[in-house]
Amino acid sequence: MRGHKNLFQLLFPPVLALLVISQTGLALVVSWAIRVYALKETRLELSDTLQVLEQMLREQPSLMNDQTLKALFSHQRYRITIIHPDGQVMAESRAPLEGLDNHYDRPELVQARSNGEGSSVRYSNSVNMEMVYLARRFQAPGNTELYLRAAMPLALLQDFYKGFYVQLLISIVIICAFGLFFVLLVVNRIREPINSLVETAQEYGRGNLQKKISVTIPWELAILSETLTAMADRLQHTIDESLGRQKELEAILSGMTEGVLFLNPNLVITQINKSAQRIFNLPQNEACIGKSLLEVVRSTELRDLAERVFKTGEKEETVIQPLTTGSQFLQVYGALVPEQQGCILVLHDITRLMRLEQVRRDFVANVSHELKTPITAIKGYIEALQDGALEEPDRAHRFLDIAAAHTNRLELIVEDLLSLARLEEQEGRNLEKQPANLYTLLENTRQACQFLAEEKDIQVLLEGTQELICPVNSAIVEQAFINLLDNAIKYSEPHTEVRLRLAQDGAMARVDVIDQGRGIPARDIDRIFERFYRVDKGRSRAAGGTGLGLSIVKHVVALHNGEVRVESREGVGSTFTVLLPL
C-alpha cells in the first residue's frame, strides 16, 4: 500500500541508528579518556621538567637569561619560559623575546599567582599550535620571585586522533553492513508468517470468515494466529444471530409510521425505527442502540411504563410529554415480546390533535364568555321593558341606549372574529402586497384615531422618515396600526401624548407606538397577544375593547414575515414595536 513502510524499512533505520550512536558514543568516550590520560601524563612530564629547572637555577642563577635558555632547551620538544611577576618574559627557549606579549593575564600564571601552580590547554600564537602549559612560582636566589613555565605541543595527540577517527569510520561501516545483513535475515525469517496473517485479516475484512490460518513460529505470531481464528468464529456466530433477529424484526418495522422501540429487561434500547427517531429528533439508530431509555428519551413517564410492563407482563397505555421534544404529546402502547425477552413500545404522535382540541376548548370558552355578557345585558333590559319600563319614556330610552351599546359590542366581536378567520385563511398562501409609503399609512392611522384622541385631550405625534417604502398589504397593515394606536389612546391618561415613530432598522422597517399609559405588568406581557386575553378585564371592557385587537396585529405581522415586540413599565408606559421586511 502506498504511504506505508514494509518490515525492513521499519527495522533497519532504528538498528542503523543504534549502531551508529553506540559506535560514536564509544569513540567519544575513548577519545575523551585518551585525551585525559595524555594531558595527565604531559602535565607530569612538565612538572618533572620544572623541578629539574628549579634545581638548576638554584645552583646556577646565571642560567636565567635568554641566550643561555635557548642554548640549553631550544632543541627540546617542550618550551621553557621565565616570566617576571609583572608579566614580562625574561627568557624563552624558542620564540624571540621581541615578539612576545605581556604574559600577566595568561590563565596558567593567574592560577600560579593564587595557588603557586597553574595549568591550561590553549592555542599558542607564538608557535602556532595547541599547547599544554604548566606554570609554577619560583623563589630565585636573592629572594627574587619569578614564574617558570613549561609547555608541550599536543600535535602527537592530534595525530593519534586522525588515525583513530579513520579506523572508527571504517568500523562503523563494517558494523552497519553486518546490521543490514542481520535485519535482512530477521525480516526474511518472519515475513512469510506475517504475510499469511495479513492475507487472512484482509479476507476477514472482506467478509470471508471461513478462511483459516495456522502459524507455528514465532511464538507471538502463533498466538496471534489462534486469536484471529477464534475471533472469526465468534464473529461469524454473532453475525448469524444478528441476521436472524433482523429478519424477525423487519416484518414488523417495515412500513410502520408509528415509532417503535425495543427494550431489554435493563431498559436498554436494542432496536429503534426511523419513525421513533423522527419523533424524538434522534440521530441514526446506531447512536441510540445500546443506550438506556432514559438517556435517549428524557421521560420518566415512559420509563415507568416500561418498568410496569416488565413487572406485570400486562399491556400498558398512557400519554406522555418527553423533555426531549418540548410540548409534544405522545400516546404510548407497551407490551412484552417473550420471544425477544424484551418489551416493545409503540408511539403515536397526537400533538396536533391535542393542540386543536385545546384551541377549540379555549376558543369556545372565550367566545362564550365574551358573548354572554352583552347578550345577558340585552336580555335583561328587554325583559325590563316588557315588564313595564316602556310606560316610562325616560327609563325606556336609557334601557334602549344600553342595549344598543351592547349590540354594538356584539357586532365588534363578530367583526374581529371574522377578521381573524380571514387572516388565518391567508396562512400558507402568498399574501398580495404592493409597495406602500409607511409614513402615509401611519398618517392615515393618526387621522382615523384623531376623534378618540381629542376626546381624551391626547396629542398623537408622528415622526420619522417620510420616504420609507415597504411591500405590504396596505388594508390589513393599516388596520393593525389602528388597533395599536387605538389601544395606546384607550389605556393612556388624559392630557398625555402618544408617539408614532417610523425608522429603518437594517433590512427592516421599524414602527414604534409609544404611550404614557399605566403600563403592562411583567407577568402579563407574554400573554397579551392571546385571543380575548386582558390585563384588567373590567377596565378593558369599560374602554370598549374586544380582546382581539392584539391577536389581529400579531397575525397581520406574521403574514408579512415580520415581528412584533412590546416593552412596558408599570406607571411609565408601553412601547409596541412592529418590524416589517423591506
Side-chain angles (χ1 to χ4, degrees):
M1 296 175 63
R2 294 181 179 178
H4 294 272
K5 296 180 179 180
N6 57 34
L7 190 58
F8 176 81
Q9 292 173 328
L10 290 174
L11 289 178
F12 182 70
V15 171
L16 178 61
L18 178 62
L19 293 175
V20 172
I21 291 172
S22 62
Q23 291 296 309
T24 303
L26 179 61
L28 292 175
V29 171
V30 171
S31 61
W32 174 80
I34 291 174
R35 181 180 177 86
V36 170
Y37 178 78
L39 291 175
K40 180 179 179 181
E41 291 299 318
T42 301
R43 288 192 180 99
L44 289 175
E45 184 177 352
L46 292 177
S47 178
D48 293 341
T49 301
L50 288 179
Q51 288 181 1
V52 172
L53 181 60
E54 288 177 358
Q55 185 64 31
M56 292 174 62
L57 292 177
R58 286 191 183 94
E59 294 177 356
Q60 298 181 15
S62 61
L63 295 176
M64 287 187 294
N65 63 78
D66 187 63
Q67 293 181 352
T68 305
L69 200 64
K70 281 183 171 60
L72 291 175
F73 299 103
S74 62
H75 301 293
Q76 301 296 328
R77 63 174 181 169
Y78 48 80
R79 292 174 57 191
I80 300 296
T81 308
I82 301 176
I83 305 169
H84 194 271
D86 62 1
Q88 294 296 325
V89 178
M90 298 173 57
E92 166 62 45
S93 65
R94 290 191 182 182
L97 291 177
E98 295 79 9
L100 297 177
D101 297 332
N102 188 289
H103 283 35
Y104 186 83
D105 58 350
R106 296 293 192 269
E108 62 274 9
L109 291 182
V110 173
Q111 295 180 22
R113 279 195 296 272
S114 300
N115 305 324
E117 184 176 285
S119 65
S120 67
V121 179
R122 57 187 174 82
Y123 186 84
S124 173
N125 293 323
S126 302
V127 295
N128 296 323
M129 63 179 63
E130 191 176 19
M131 305 286 288
V132 180
Y133 293 91
L134 181 66
R136 186 175 294 168
R137 190 166 49 205
F138 172 66
Q139 202 73 22
N143 204 23
T144 301
E145 183 178 278
L146 298 175
Y147 290 91
L148 306 181
R149 188 184 69 178
M152 185 176 293
L154 284 176
L156 296 175
L157 188 59
Q158 292 171 353
D159 292 339
F160 168 78
Y161 283 156
K162 293 180 181 178
F164 175 77
Y165 288 132
V166 171
Q167 295 176 2
L168 175 63
L169 181 60
I170 294 173
S171 65
I172 289 177
V173 172
I174 294 173
I175 292 174
C176 289
F178 277 105
L180 174 61
F181 175 77
F182 173 76
V183 171
L184 286 173
L185 186 65
V186 172
V187 168
N188 290 331
R189 179 70 172 171
I190 63 175
R191 176 176 292 167
E192 184 177 350
I194 288 180
N195 287 339
S196 298
L197 290 173
V198 169
E199 291 174 2
T200 303
Q202 290 175 342
E203 288 295 322
Y204 291 166
R206 298 186 189 102
N208 180 16
L209 300 178
Q210 306 301 324
K211 184 176 177 60
K212 305 300 179 183
I213 184 175
S214 177
V215 175
T216 57
I217 56 171
W219 179 79
E220 290 82 359
L221 294 182
I223 295 297
L224 179 59
S225 170
E226 294 176 0
T227 303
L228 282 175
T229 302
M231 181 188 68
D233 293 338
R234 290 195 300 271
L235 185 59
Q236 185 63 56
H237 180 70
T238 303
I239 290 175
D240 293 340
E241 288 185 347
S242 298
L243 290 175
R245 289 196 301 267
Q246 184 177 356
K247 289 179 181 179
E248 292 176 0
L249 292 175
E250 281 178 354
I252 302 174
L253 298 178
S254 61
M256 292 186 63
T257 57
E258 295 84 359
V260 177
L261 290 169
F262 281 96
L263 308 177
N264 65 15
N266 296 322
L267 301 186
V268 173
I269 297 175
T270 59
Q271 189 66 34
I272 181 172
N273 70 348
K274 292 183 179 180
S275 295
Q277 295 171 13
R278 174 183 51 79
I279 290 173
F280 293 118
N281 296 320
L282 299 175
Q284 295 298 321
N285 56 355
E286 289 81 2
C288 304
I289 292 175
K291 294 184 179 180
S292 67
L293 176 64
L294 197 58
E295 183 181 357
V296 175
V297 183
R298 304 293 180 84
S299 172
T300 55
E301 296 172 314
L302 192 61
R303 180 202 59 188
D304 294 343
L305 181 142
E307 289 179 345
R308 290 196 302 271
V309 170
F310 277 112
K311 184 176 180 180
T312 64
E314 301 292 333
K315 297 179 180 179
E316 293 281 343
E317 179 182 348
T318 188
V319 176
I320 66 170
Q321 276 188 286
L323 295 177
T324 53
T325 56
S327 59
Q328 191 176 34
F329 290 89
L330 300 176
Q331 189 173 26
V332 185
Y333 298 91
L336 284 178
V337 183
E339 297 82 2
Q340 298 293 331
Q341 296 182 351
C343 165
I344 183 174
L345 302 179
V346 180
L347 313 168
H348 299 268
D349 189 350
I350 59 171
T351 304
R352 179 175 175 80
L353 294 176
M354 295 291 286
R355 288 177 179 173
L356 290 175
E357 179 63 21
Q358 185 63 40
V359 168
R360 185 192 65 78
R361 287 197 298 265
D362 292 344
F363 181 76
V364 171
N366 289 329
V367 170
S368 300
H369 181 74
E370 294 296 328
L371 296 179
K372 182 178 180 180
T373 300
I375 290 175
T376 301
I378 293 171
K379 181 180 178 181
Y381 286 111
I382 291 176
E383 289 176 351
L385 290 172
Q386 291 174 339
D387 291 340
L390 284 174
E391 306 300 330
E392 302 177 19
D394 292 338
R395 289 182 64 195
H397 184 72
R398 183 165 57 86
F399 287 173
L400 288 173
D401 288 341
I402 295 174
H406 283 289
T407 303
N408 291 334
R409 174 170 171 74
L410 281 175
E411 183 181 11
L412 289 175
I413 293 174
V414 172
E415 288 179 354
D416 283 347
L417 287 173
L418 291 174
S419 297
L420 276 175
R422 286 191 293 268
L423 291 173
E424 288 176 345
E425 287 180 359
Q426 291 291 335
E427 292 180 0
R429 301 180 183 178
N430 291 326
L431 184 67
E432 183 179 350
K433 302 176 186 177
Q434 295 291 336
N437 188 311
L438 291 184
Y439 190 88
T440 302
L441 289 180
L442 291 175
E443 175 61 26
N444 295 337
T445 300
R446 189 181 70 82
Q447 293 178 6
C449 299
Q450 186 64 31
F451 179 76
L452 179 61
E454 290 176 354
E455 283 188 337
K456 298 184 68 174
D457 192 18
I458 291 176
Q459 187 175 8
V460 180
L461 304 177
L462 175 58
E463 56 190 38
T465 307
Q466 298 185 14
E467 303 299 331
L468 192 58
I469 305 299
C470 182
V472 296
N473 186 303
S474 299
I476 62 175
V477 168
E478 185 174 332
Q479 182 60 47
F481 290 156
I482 290 175
N483 287 354
L484 289 175
L485 183 57
D486 183 76
N487 277 354
I489 295 172
K490 286 179 180 178
Y491 298 111
S492 293
E493 299 298 329
H495 315 299
T496 58
E497 66 179 25
V498 175
R499 286 188 295 155
L500 297 176
R501 186 168 60 197
L502 174 63
Q504 183 172 347
D505 188 355
M508 308 290 281
R510 179 187 180 109
V511 178
D512 294 317
V513 181
I514 307 168
D515 65 48
Q516 298 175 345
R518 59 194 182 95
I520 303 170
R523 66 178 180 275
D524 296 311
I525 286 181
D526 292 337
R527 300 193 60 191
I528 59 174
F529 292 101
E530 296 179 9
R531 299 177 184 183
F532 298 112
Y533 185 82
R534 293 184 175 90
V535 176
D536 186 340
K537 300 185 184 299
R539 181 168 179 173
S540 297
R541 289 195 177 93
T546 65
L548 297 172
L550 291 180
S551 295
I552 293 174
V553 171
K554 182 178 179 181
H555 276 75
V556 170
V557 174
L559 287 174
H560 286 81
N561 299 318
E563 182 181 358
V564 59
R565 305 172 184 167
V566 60
E567 296 180 2
S568 183
R569 291 177 57 191
E570 289 189 81
V572 177
S574 304
T575 298
F576 284 82
T577 300
V578 175
L579 296 173
L580 297 173
L582 292 173

